Amino acid sequence: MVVGGGVIGLTTAVVLAERGSRVRVWTRDPVERTTSSVAGALWWPYRIEPVASARAWALRSLEVYEALAADPDRTGVRMVEGVLGEADLDKARAWAGERLPGLRAATAEEYTGAGLWARLPLVDMPVHLPWLRQRLLDAGGTIETRTVSGLGAVGAPVVINCTGLGARELVPDASVKPVRGQLVVVANPGIRTWVVSTGGDGEMAYFFPHADRLVLGGTAEDGVWSTEPDPAVAEAIVGRCAALRPEIAGARVLGHRVGLRPARDAVRLEREPQPDGRVLVHNYGHGGAGVTVAWGCAEEAAGLAAS
Ligand SMILES: Cc1cc2nc3c(=O)[nH]c(=O)nc-3n(C[C@H](O)[C@H](O)[C@H](O)COP(=O)(O)OP(=O)(O)OC[C@H]3O[C@@H](n4cnc5c(N)ncnc54)[C@H](O)[C@@H]3O)c2cc1C
């Protein structure tokens, strides 16, 4: 049994089902209403600990996303070039090793200031999550919209807890906290590459192209629970992105999105022994990088469930 149907729960369920387990997913929210559906989502290890494990999970996930990018219309995953502003080339090379062969310093035409040019997976979550759900169903898994009120009450010999911020109440684990992120979706004025920058005023600014849509970000507000889009914040996001690419200023706004990143000092990915002999594995607290590490975490969680 997997509790939670965001990117972490669905990916974990897919790995388990494809390894031959009979998998049920219980999720409080339909996939379209999860934090995962809000994400941008660029493969990059933003605000995630522990560093060494996150690196291994991210690099394994990179391998999977590279393969999924062969069928972008179905999977929602594409390899897209862009600029990581204010990032250090030597550090990035040391971190990624040979796995990001095209990594280089951005030229002055590509970015004002020091930046890295990279080709990374960009995941269109409104396409990717339904594709994950279908892949699970095809592997014989099931999904039910059900809220779990206690992990001990789930009648299954193996339970994998992938509830993200929900773990705060469910475990309970007060160290899981929201980091609010707001985005603006605009009609894409013809932009084909992405940019992530800390912006002129030190605030984060980024844009991710998804076919006819451009996702503009963003914010990271620690401990803030509101999921209502703030019009003043939206205006500031558009302004910061337009400072990077002027054509964004006139782009038609298609919508606003807010998500609460499930932040924790470190991801909790471990097996917790149960007195009655049942197996409980936790896989939550992925903060701002759940998409980046999903496959590596899923495989480790599946291994813990089987051991
Ligand atoms: C604005 C924004 C931008 C982001 N950009 C990126 C990015 O570019 N790259 C990246 O890698 N990451 C990004 N992230 C982070 C990423 O979205 C998260 O790390 C990831 O979605 C976490 O996935 P999850 O499955 O753990 O959580 P969620 O998607 O929140 O899923 C949790 C699941 O648990 C279920 N649940 C909770 N409690 C219960 C319960 N009691 N009973 C049953 N079910 C329960 C929920 O219904 C849901 O299905 C971004 C996040 C935000 C908000």
Side-chain angles (χ1 to χ4, degrees):
M1 161 74 62
V2 173
V3 185
V7 70
I8 298 297
L10 287 179
T11 308
T12 302
V14 164
V15 169
L16 283 164
E18 291 181 354
R19 287 183 183 181
S21 300
R22 208 182 125 252
V23 183
R24 288 179 295 159
V25 174
W26 283 0
T27 175
R28 186 189 57 204
D29 307 288
V31 80
E32 300 75 16
R33 288 220 300 270
T34 59
T35 297
S36 301
S37 73
V38 173
L42 184 71
W43 178 94
W44 192 251
Y46 169 73
R47 286 175 78 154
I48 184 161
E49 300 272 351
V51 172
S53 301
R55 176 174 183 270
W57 298 327
L59 293 179
R60 171 60 189 140
S61 304
L62 174 63
E63 208 169 3
V64 176
Y65 288 130
E66 282 170 337
L68 296 181
D71 192 359
D73 293 341
R74 275 190 342 121
T75 64
V77 183
R78 286 175 306 133
M79 299 300 293
V80 183
E81 292 183 309
V83 174
L84 290 161
E86 296 77 41
D88 186 282
L89 183 57
D90 291 336
K91 261 198 212 156
R93 277 199 176 131
W95 184 83
E98 301 302 307
R99 294 293 294 115
L100 296 176
L103 200 63
R104 59 166 173 79
T107 64
E109 290 81 57
E110 288 161 352
Y111 191 69
T112 318
L116 300 184
W117 183 263
R119 186 167 179 268
L120 302 179
L122 187 62
V123 186
D124 191 351
M125 297 306 281
V127 175
H128 187 64
L129 291 169
W131 173 81
L132 274 177
R133 181 173 53 195
Q134 190 56 46
R135 182 163 159 178
L136 172 64
L137 299 178
D138 291 346
T142 61
I143 305 182
E144 277 178 66
T145 306
R146 270 173 88 147
T147 299
V148 173
S149 52
L151 290 169
V154 179
V158 179
V159 176
I160 313 206
N161 170 24
C162 304
T163 52
L165 195 54
R168 186 179 166 90
E169 301 296 328
L170 189 59
V171 172
D173 179 352
S175 69
V176 194
K177 294 181 181 142
V179 175
R180 181 183 184 278
Q182 183 167 331
L183 306 175
V184 182
V185 183
V186 298
N188 191 346
I191 292 174
R192 295 280 163 257
T193 54
W194 48 266
V195 170
V196 176
S197 161
T198 49
D201 53 5
E203 290 270 350
M204 179 165 58
Y206 58 82
F207 53 83
F208 299 145
H210 291 293
D212 51 352
R213 288 170 298 122
L214 189 67
V215 174
L216 313 180
T219 59
E221 298 170 84
D222 289 338
V224 178
W225 285 92
S226 167
T227 52
E228 276 302 303
D230 178 331
V233 170
E235 199 182 324
I237 289 172
V238 175
R240 288 201 300 276
C241 291
L244 295 166
R245 284 292 284 268
E247 61 266 52
I248 291 175
R252 189 163 52 94
V253 174
L254 302 176
H256 300 271
R257 295 196 214 154
V258 175
L260 305 178
R261 300 175 182 88
R264 197 172 181 272
D265 288 347
V267 173
R268 186 169 187 204
L269 180 39
E270 65 182 4
R271 190 176 154 128
E272 186 183 358
Q274 299 300 292
D276 59 4
R278 288 181 320 125
V279 173
L280 173 60
V281 174
H282 297 287
N283 186 10
Y284 67 85
H286 302 80
V291 181
T292 302
V293 297
W295 289 93
C297 290
E299 289 175 359
E300 191 167 321
L304 290 170
S307 61

